[in-house]
């Protein structure tokens, strides 16, 4: 359902060459160096190994391409594991920065972009990097 919604939204915005792929974050169903931008959105906190997922993302991005990550800042709301199946309780900015750097991304930037008004007050971060 989310994929079809995203495709409709992209079409309305005249965004061409956008594809949605469903697959394992550590073994994405994408050819190496075949995408300009990879956008793992709220995906890393569900990955078995976010660090490996970032390395896999680096492999599929073309030289000069970009990664844009939207995910949760580190939190202590343990119930996300039982309620939503989350594997990770978000990420500290320095941890995410180190993983992106280790994967091979450069010009890494990480910013806070949202905070929920209601408890547990999840904070969302935006991280970008270039290959």
């Amino acid at each position: 359902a989310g994929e079809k919604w995203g495709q409709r939204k992209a079409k309305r915005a005249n965004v061409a060459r956008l594809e949605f792929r469903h697959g394992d974050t550590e073994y994405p169903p994408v050819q190496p160096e075949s995408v300009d931008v990879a956008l793992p959105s709220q995906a890393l906190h569900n990955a078995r190994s976010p660090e490996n997922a970032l390395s896999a993302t680096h492999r599929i991005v073309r030289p000069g391409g970009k990664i844009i990550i939207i995910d949760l800042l580190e939190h202590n709301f343990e119930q996300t594991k039982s309620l939503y199946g989350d594997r990770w309780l978000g990420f500290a900015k320095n941890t995410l920065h180190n993983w992106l750097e280790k994967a091979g991304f450069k010009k890494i930037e990480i910013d806070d972009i949202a905070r929920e008004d209601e408890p547990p007050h999840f904070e969302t971060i935006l991280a970008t990097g270039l290959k």
Side-chain angles (χ1 to χ4, degrees):
E3 184 175 322
K4 290 184 189 243
W5 173 86
Q7 289 170 334
R8 286 193 306 271
K9 192 167 178 80
K11 187 175 181 179
R12 282 194 302 271
N14 282 332
V15 175
R17 297 181 45 208
L18 176 68
E19 289 183 37
F20 291 85
R21 300 279 179 100
H22 182 76
D24 189 317
T25 55
E26 293 181 55
Y27 304 96
V30 180
Q31 293 298 312
E33 297 189 346
S34 65
V35 300
D36 296 316
V37 178
L39 178 65
S41 178
Q42 301 294 355
L44 288 181
H45 64 261
N46 293 308
R48 283 182 304 278
S49 171
E51 188 174 7
N52 289 345
L54 293 173
S55 293
T57 302
H58 187 270
R59 283 192 298 277
I60 67 170
V61 173
R62 287 187 178 109
K66 190 172 196 174
I67 186 171
I68 301 172
I69 300 167
I70 299 170
D71 217 302
L72 297 176
L73 184 63
E74 188 172 48
H75 61 83
N76 60 8
F77 190 66
E78 288 278 342
Q79 293 90 325
T80 60
K81 291 181 177 182
S82 60
L83 291 172
Y84 313 120
D86 291 4
R87 294 175 190 253
W88 298 85
L89 299 179
F91 304 98
K93 291 179 187 178
N94 62 333
T95 299
L96 193 54
H97 188 281
N98 290 340
W99 287 344
L100 284 163
E101 194 171 65
K102 186 176 176 186
F105 289 101
K106 309 288 184 213
K107 296 187 179 178
I108 299 162
E109 294 184 22
I110 303 175
D111 296 299
D112 299 326
I113 58 170
R115 183 177 190 272
E116 290 183 348
D117 292 333
E118 299 296 319
H121 305 291
F122 291 123
E123 294 181 65
T124 303
I125 53 176
L126 173 72
T128 60
L130 297 177
K131 180 171 180 179

